[in-house]
Amino acid sequence: MVIPKTMWHFCVRSFHRFNAVARSSLPSGNENVWDAMYKRGIPRTMDEMSVMLGERVDSPPNSRLLKIAIVGVPNCGKSTLINSLVGRKVCSVSSKVHTTEVSARAVHNVDSTQMVFLDTPGLVTPQEVSKHSLNRSLLREAEISLHEADVMAVIHDVSNKYTCNSLHPRVLRLLALYPTTPSILILNKVDLVKHKQRLLDVTRTITEGIVGGNRSHVEKKKDVPLNKEKFLRKAKKTLQSKETCTEDKIEKKSENTLITGQIGLPRDISQISEQDILEGKVRLTEQEINAFIENRTGWPLFQEVFMISALSSLGVDDLKDFFYYKAYEAPWIFNSQMLTDQNPQDIALMTIREKFLDAFKNEIPYNLKFTIEHWDLSEEEILYITVQIGCKRQGLARVIIGSGGKCVIPIAQEAEQDLRNTFCNEVKLRLNVVYDPALKKK
């Protein structure tokens, strides 16, 4: 028996009082006070968004600009860092991977300098896109952002003992695609590393011992007494393996002969100078990039290395100062009141999705569809939002609601409070959990 969609309709609506000041409550003649109070940076409606985007961008005298692409694997702290840099929550964060589904810009102005942070989804593989039912555009989002970036900031999670000693191949791929774009390395979650000496070892490995064009560490060879027997054994072993090594080199050389495309002659990657690749003099095909980064764990072109904790803002001020001084003379691209180019409805959906990601395990949140049903800003300056959460299965809808709404009500309350803080406005949020058979067909 198929239960109709309307029978699985469930409403959650909370009415917490909030001390919001309505326009009508302000004394007459205080329009400037009102305007200053409601220049939030994040619009509450699509109309406000259109007005804000349509405003002329007046750059201050001697204006400066810097666009920074924040890239890294999922759950390394990209959105958390941007929120810390901006000083306000403009990007969704969660303990689960793939919280960010689309690229977004966050804006931070200091004096006459505008810094635009490009928050990109975590670098994923086609297999991960299928597993988590993600939009396939995620495969190209980070790459598209790098087209306009002045600096590539690579965030690396050093708290993960299994992956901290090497950059992910997809990160290395981006670095190889854009070798001439200035890049920096940001080691995140350093507060979770007990032995701080390990941070230096990780840095040495994933920078290949080179930072800003200078070798950051020189190994000193220890004076070891010559062991004659050991020396003879080593020499004998070298002679015996000489033929084998020669054969391996020939075989490896043939493996590295890559075809540049349907048209053109084969090109031997081993014959291309690594220096030419790093200087951007040679444009590699996808196959050649894969061969170039194979067995590579680090990148030698990072200009600077920063050790931070995005969650506690440890070291974030140093990073902000670096971006400030890196900016160049140019007109601003956003007006001074804008904090992000995300529209308010997308912000609301991502905030709610973030709460579901934290509340439910495994793949449950990835199988839900979030849709805006109603959005209205009343005359009393109260923002009413209704969001539908579509479920593929009837049983899943029961799990999401919980007995008497015990699962979904706390989620609605937390999301509602977050949206109040985001929009700096009273918000009434309503979540409708429904069973939608149409989702099975997708």
Side-chain angles (χ1 to χ4, degrees):
M1 175 181 178
V2 177
I3 300 178
K5 181 177 179 178
T6 53
M7 291 183 64
W8 275 102
H9 185 278
F10 185 85
C11 300
V12 178
R13 188 174 183 178
S14 51
F15 297 90
H16 300 289
R17 302 300 298 172
F18 183 80
N19 294 324
V21 181
R23 177 184 282 269
S24 58
S25 67
L26 286 174
S28 59
N30 282 3
E31 287 80 6
N32 292 336
V33 176
W34 171 263
D35 291 339
M37 184 181 298
Y38 276 84
K39 285 182 178 178
R40 296 170 175 79
I42 299 180
R44 299 165 294 177
T45 65
M46 297 301 289
D47 288 340
E48 287 185 357
M49 181 75 179
S50 298
V51 170
M52 187 174 285
L53 289 174
E55 288 180 352
R56 179 181 175 182
V57 179
D58 291 324
S59 301
N62 304 316
S63 61
R64 300 162 70 240
L65 175 70
L66 189 70
K67 293 170 287 184
I68 307 106
I70 310 293
V71 301
V73 296
N75 213 30
C76 66
K78 298 182 294 297
S79 297
T80 304
L81 174 59
I82 289 179
N83 290 339
S84 183
L85 287 165
V86 174
R88 188 165 163 188
K89 186 176 179 181
V90 293
C91 300
S92 295
V93 294
S94 168
S95 58
K96 296 281 184 65
V97 297
H98 310 306
T99 305
T100 303
E101 291 191 302
V102 293
S103 293
R105 295 174 182 84
V107 185
H108 181 61
N109 302 323
V110 179
D111 300 327
S112 61
T113 300
Q114 183 169 89
M115 292 170 273
V116 181
F117 301 102
L118 312 174
D119 185 23
T120 61
L123 302 175
V124 295
T125 62
Q127 292 76 19
E128 290 172 317
V129 169
S130 300
K131 178 181 178 181
H132 296 287
S133 303
L134 303 173
N135 193 320
R136 294 196 67 83
S137 64
L138 265 66
L139 294 169
R140 309 292 292 182
E141 286 285 353
E143 194 173 328
I144 293 171
S145 295
L146 283 169
H147 283 300
E148 62 174 301
D150 303 309
V151 175
M152 186 194 316
V154 176
I155 301 191
H156 187 67
D157 181 2
V158 291
S159 68
N160 189 328
K161 64 180 181 180
Y162 301 106
T163 60
C164 67
N165 288 311
S166 63
L167 292 174
H168 194 278
R170 295 197 71 81
V171 173
L172 287 169
R173 174 186 172 274
L174 277 183
L175 289 165
L177 274 174
Y178 299 91
T180 58
T181 299
S183 59
I184 63 170
L185 175 65
I186 303 173
L187 302 181
N188 192 24
K189 306 182 185 180
V190 297
D191 53 324
L192 301 180
V193 179
K194 293 182 179 179
H195 305 290
K196 303 307 179 186
Q197 175 61 37
R198 198 175 119 208
L199 295 174
L200 299 178
D201 296 335
V202 169
T203 301
R204 193 175 303 129
T205 301
I206 58 182
T207 61
E208 297 185 2
I210 301 172
V211 177
N214 300 314
R215 189 160 292 280
S216 61
H217 180 78
V218 179
E219 293 284 351
K220 292 184 178 180
K221 294 183 179 181
K222 297 180 180 180
D223 293 329
V224 182
L226 181 62
N227 186 318
K228 190 178 291 186
E229 292 183 2
K230 186 176 180 181
F231 176 77
L232 290 173
R233 285 199 303 270
K234 187 175 180 180
K236 185 177 180 181
K237 186 177 180 181
T238 302
L239 290 172
Q240 290 175 344
S241 61
K242 189 174 181 180
E243 292 184 6
T244 306
C245 289
T246 303
E247 293 175 359
D248 289 342
K249 287 181 180 178
I250 294 172
E251 184 179 348
K252 188 174 182 180
K253 185 175 180 180
S254 63
E255 288 177 353
N256 284 333
T257 302
L258 302 174
I259 299 176
T260 58
Q262 296 292 333
I263 302 174
L265 298 174
R267 184 161 63 170
D268 188 349
I269 190 68
S270 65
Q271 299 301 315
I272 302 175
S273 167
E274 179 175 305
Q275 193 62 31
D276 287 345
I277 295 174
L278 296 178
E279 291 178 0
K281 295 179 180 178
V282 179
R283 186 169 183 82
L284 302 179
T285 65
E286 196 68 37
Q287 282 181 309
E288 290 169 340
I289 288 175
N290 291 333
F292 180 67
I293 65 175
E294 187 180 8
N295 300 322
R296 205 177 195 112
T297 59
W299 188 251
L301 297 184
F302 290 119
Q303 292 188 352
E304 296 284 348
V305 177
F306 294 89
M307 300 183 185
I308 70 163
S309 170
L311 192 60
S312 65
S313 295
L314 174 68
V316 172
D317 285 342
D318 293 335
L319 184 59
K320 197 183 298 184
D321 289 343
F322 171 81
F323 292 140
Y324 177 83
Y325 291 109
K326 192 78 175 174
Y328 54 92
E329 289 188 11
W332 286 9
I333 57 177
F334 293 106
N335 67 59
S336 59
Q337 302 303 327
M338 183 164 282
L339 282 175
T340 178
D341 68 342
Q342 302 171 89
N343 74 61
Q345 295 189 3
D346 285 344
I347 291 174
L349 290 176
M350 287 189 293
T351 300
I352 295 165
R353 181 175 178 271
E354 162 196 323
K355 300 304 176 186
F356 276 87
L357 284 169
D358 284 334
F360 294 97
K361 297 180 181 180
N362 303 325
E363 303 303 313
I364 289 178
Y366 302 103
N367 291 316
L368 303 176
K369 183 179 180 180
F370 301 87
T371 311
I372 298 291
E373 282 190 334
H374 178 73
W375 190 285
D376 180 60
L377 182 64
S378 70
E379 293 182 357
E380 293 78 21
E381 298 291 332
I382 299 175
L383 184 58
Y384 291 94
I385 303 173
T386 304
V387 174
Q388 181 188 99
I389 294 94
C391 305
K392 292 182 178 180
R393 302 187 308 276
Q394 300 169 14
L396 180 58
R398 293 193 191 98
V399 171
I400 295 298
I401 295 170
S403 177
K406 70 176 183 180
C407 291
V408 75
I409 288 176
I411 294 175
Q413 292 173 342
E414 288 182 22
E416 185 178 80
Q417 185 58 53
D418 269 18
L419 292 174
R420 286 196 189 105
N421 296 336
T422 297
F423 296 118
C424 295
N425 198 87
E426 169 66 321
V427 174
K428 302 296 184 183
L429 176 65
R430 176 175 178 154
L431 299 183
N432 295 335
V433 181
V434 301
Y435 160 58
D436 188 357
L439 294 176
K440 289 184 178 180
K441 301 175 183 179
K442 295 183 179 180

